[in-house]
Amino acid sequence: MKTIYLASAAALAFSASGALADGHVSHVFPVGEGAFNWDSYNAYADAFDLSGQELTITGPWTGADAELVNSVIDYFESATGATVQYSGSDNFEQDIVIATQAGSAPNIAVFPQPGLMTDLASRGALTPLAPETADWVRDNYAAGDSWVSLGTAAGPEGEEALYGFFYKVDLKSLVWYSPEAFEEAGYDVPETMEELLALNDQIVADGETPWCIGLGSGGATGWPATDWVEDLMLRTQSPEVYDAWVSNEMPFDAPEVVNAIETFGTFARNEDYVNGGVEAVASTDFRESPLGLFSFPPECYMHRQASFIPTFFPEDAEADFFYFPAYEGEDLGSPVLGAGTLFGITDDSEAAQAFMAFLQTEISHEVWMAQSGFLTPHQGVNAELFGSDTLRQMNEILLDATTFRFDASDLMPSEIGQGIFWSGMVDYVGGEDAASVAGRIQDRWSEIQ
């Protein structure tokens, strides 16, 4: 559910001319013009000649996003002379499993999250990336070790290698607010969790309500609370503890997890902190929840949600965001929660290896980011090229990250991460003890292992 909303948010307006019959587009930005890193393009073109070779890529991007990725692929084709066929599917995850089993896999697959990549690597369906790729990621991506860790998996013999290259990232560690409301009330944007907690109390002391929180989402009700818990795990525990939780190496009912749930409760189970009171949290639809930011007078002052949420703001709303801050006293740096897509090689070829090298060039990132819906941890890109100030500011948060971790519930078994974890958070907000909820989730996880 969260992946769907993040993907739909990325499919914003796409303006390009010159669509060709094969679905690709002509260069949206003429080579050599503008503030792009054309040196990276030219150096790459000089290094690779793939004339006459073909490359097949399959991924989850369809519609406007398929046009956008094809606009990037076009530069690879013109630089190398290769011909690329990209096909997008709404059923990508099922399709790629069938294709690998049938021996008809594309050269490259674009995975919407690491779980499926890890599974296919363990079956021997993926080729490890070139040995030098991991060092490149560490040196050129912000929080590089995080991206290497997320892209690493065990092969069929249990040997670990880098199989996935992250490209196009979504951001979740955001708090949305109305600058006008903050200014009128005299509030400053908090830079630490301690300052955020003090702001909560200040807003209450002023007779107002700090937060709008809504967990409603039909059959997926509860998922917004899991994002809160995941963000708070990263702000109270080390990345290694977070990883152990995700894999169930550390049980779901461990004290560290219960503490994160209870910390979420200090926001969501405080009658003074949430619009409509605690009773409204579970019943308020997450799409309607942020509307209180823009009422007059404000019904709340802050709303924690991912980068897609402005889709549901009023058309004339003036909103801004800040990084969901870390505790100054915990010394855990600036962790960021998010999602992202990663490329892996499912049928090795010279062109496939060359394309993975192309993704390391600045131009391969800048072409998409200059259009819409694209964030990148690549530290070498020209930030002035972002299609909007909002994307530029979001990417600054990404580049400032000391740790990046993927949404935990998307990596857990679906029965846990998209099932009892969601419903358990609803039960917790409704009054059940955090330890009891966490214990039930762990009991279910133990049953399915």
Side-chain angles (χ1 to χ4, degrees), residues 217-243:
S217 186
T221 290
W223 72 257
T226 68
D227 279 2
W228 272 87
V229 173
E230 291 155 4
D231 246 339
L232 289 166
M233 276 290 290
L234 289 173
R235 281 150 183 75
T236 55
Q237 306 298 328
S238 70
E240 292 75 21
V241 170
Y242 184 92
D243 295 341

Side-chain angles (χ1 to χ4, degrees), residues 5-178:
Y5 282 114
L6 287 164
S8 65
L12 303 174
F14 170 67
S15 57
S17 59
L20 303 179
D22 64 359
H24 289 184
V25 294
S26 60
H27 284 322
V28 290
F29 307 107
V31 175
E33 297 184 12
F36 296 85
N37 193 318
W38 295 118
D39 286 346
S40 71
Y41 172 84
N42 291 327
Y44 181 83
D46 290 342
F48 291 91
D49 182 0
L50 305 174
S51 299
Q53 297 191 34
E54 297 183 356
L55 180 70
T56 54
I57 303 175
T58 299
W61 296 313
T62 61
D65 275 342
E67 293 181 339
L68 285 160
V69 72
N70 272 319
S71 75
V72 175
I73 290 172
D74 186 57
Y75 289 85
F76 170 78
E77 291 181 314
S78 63
T80 63
T83 300
V84 180
Q85 181 62 49
Y86 170 78
S87 60
S89 171
D90 291 331
N91 298 311
F92 165 79
E93 293 184 324
Q94 294 87 350
D95 292 346
I96 192 63
V97 171
I98 293 171
T100 56
Q101 291 174 340
S104 58
N107 296 116
I108 290 175
V110 187
F111 297 95
Q113 48 100 340
L116 179 56
M117 178 213 70
T118 300
D119 183 46
L120 291 182
S122 70
R123 302 183 194 183
L126 295 183
T127 299
L129 303 185
E132 65 273 12
T133 307
D135 285 340
W136 184 93
V137 173
R138 290 189 185 96
D139 292 341
N140 291 276
Y141 271 17
D145 284 336
S146 293
W147 300 107
V148 172
S149 176
L150 286 166
T152 297
E157 303 300 324
E159 70 287 2
E160 288 199 339
L162 182 66
Y163 285 92
F165 187 96
F166 273 91
Y167 174 89
K168 189 176 184 300
V169 177
D170 295 304
L171 191 59
K172 295 192 173 191
S173 301
L174 301 174
V175 178
W176 297 86
Y177 70 103
S178 164

